[in-house]
Amino acid sequence: MSGAFLAGLVAGYGVAIPVGAIAILILGLSARTSFRVGAAAALAVATADGLYAAVATLGGAGLAGLIAPVAVPLRVLAAVVLLGLAAHGLWRTWSTHRSGRPQAARAGAGLGTPGRAYAALLGLTLLNPTTVLYFTALVLGRRNSTDAGAVPAALFVAGVFLASASWQLLVAGGGSVVGRALTGPRGRLVTGLVSSALIAALAVAALLPG
């Protein structure tokens, strides 16, 4: 049983650690709003990873075949959502800079509350078909091991969730530190513009073949 939990930890860190659009979003949210908002976004990503690990554990070999036909449309949809978030972040950063009002005054807009951040990041992470294919491959690779049954499967999923949550919360904490270090209007402008540009670039990259 401990082997299943350890395998879940390894799998969770494997999918969480590579820096991508989701990590950049969490960093940006924490930097521009608060750690509470970034932590909510982080837990949303961990929830999605845990759900996908559970689906992969229950779904088995037929799961990859079901996802393959819609993998490309899901990538396009995820890219569109990312571009929308980049555009919204750019507009919000620029309008706040022009108005001269502190960012906190508009914290309730967009993803500036924990509830909205959680819902948005959960939906966005669930749009990534690569995650469920990753977990499916890992689960299928463990089919012949002695870790079979409901309890080991639950331990595997728990390990995935805890690994993903710990890493994403670390990312959120880093964004909070950056936010405190760049509290001036110019620092907020620079971080907002860079974040929007990176998210847009990652959205374009998601549309490229291979």
Side-chain angles (χ1 to χ4, degrees):
M1 291 185 183
S2 60
F5 181 75
L6 180 60
L9 286 176
V10 173
Y13 282 123
V15 75
I17 288 178
V19 176
I22 297 299
I24 292 172
L25 280 173
I26 294 174
L27 277 168
L29 283 172
S30 293
R32 293 191 300 273
T33 56
S34 67
F35 176 73
R36 288 182 61 226
V37 175
L43 292 177
V45 176
T47 300
D49 287 343
L51 288 173
Y52 266 156
V55 169
T57 302
L58 297 174
L63 195 60
L66 291 175
I67 292 176
V70 296
V72 173
L74 284 177
R75 284 175 54 196
V76 173
L77 181 57
V80 170
V81 172
L82 286 171
L83 286 173
L85 288 173
H88 179 269
L90 180 63
W91 170 81
R92 185 178 169 192
T93 298
W94 183 250
S95 62
T96 301
H97 179 73
R98 288 292 301 271
S99 67
R101 289 177 294 175
Q103 189 75 17
R106 305 187 61 189
L111 306 183
T113 65
R116 291 175 180 174
Y118 183 91
L121 269 293
L122 177 62
L124 185 58
T125 307
L126 289 175
L127 287 174
N128 184 8
T130 305
T131 305
V132 70
L133 293 174
Y134 167 81
F135 285 125
T136 299
L138 289 177
V139 169
L140 292 176
R142 298 177 61 249
R143 287 292 185 187
N144 295 327
S145 68
T146 57
D147 291 332
V151 174
L155 289 173
F156 176 80
V157 173
V160 168
F161 175 82
L162 289 176
S164 180
S166 63
W167 179 260
Q168 304 300 346
L169 286 171
L170 180 64
V171 171
S176 182
V177 171
V178 170
R180 287 195 297 269
L182 299 173
T183 55
R186 182 169 297 180
R188 295 285 187 179
L189 176 63
V190 171
T191 56
L193 293 176
V194 170
S195 176
S196 295
L198 287 173
I199 293 170
L202 289 165
V204 173
L207 295 174
L208 298 177

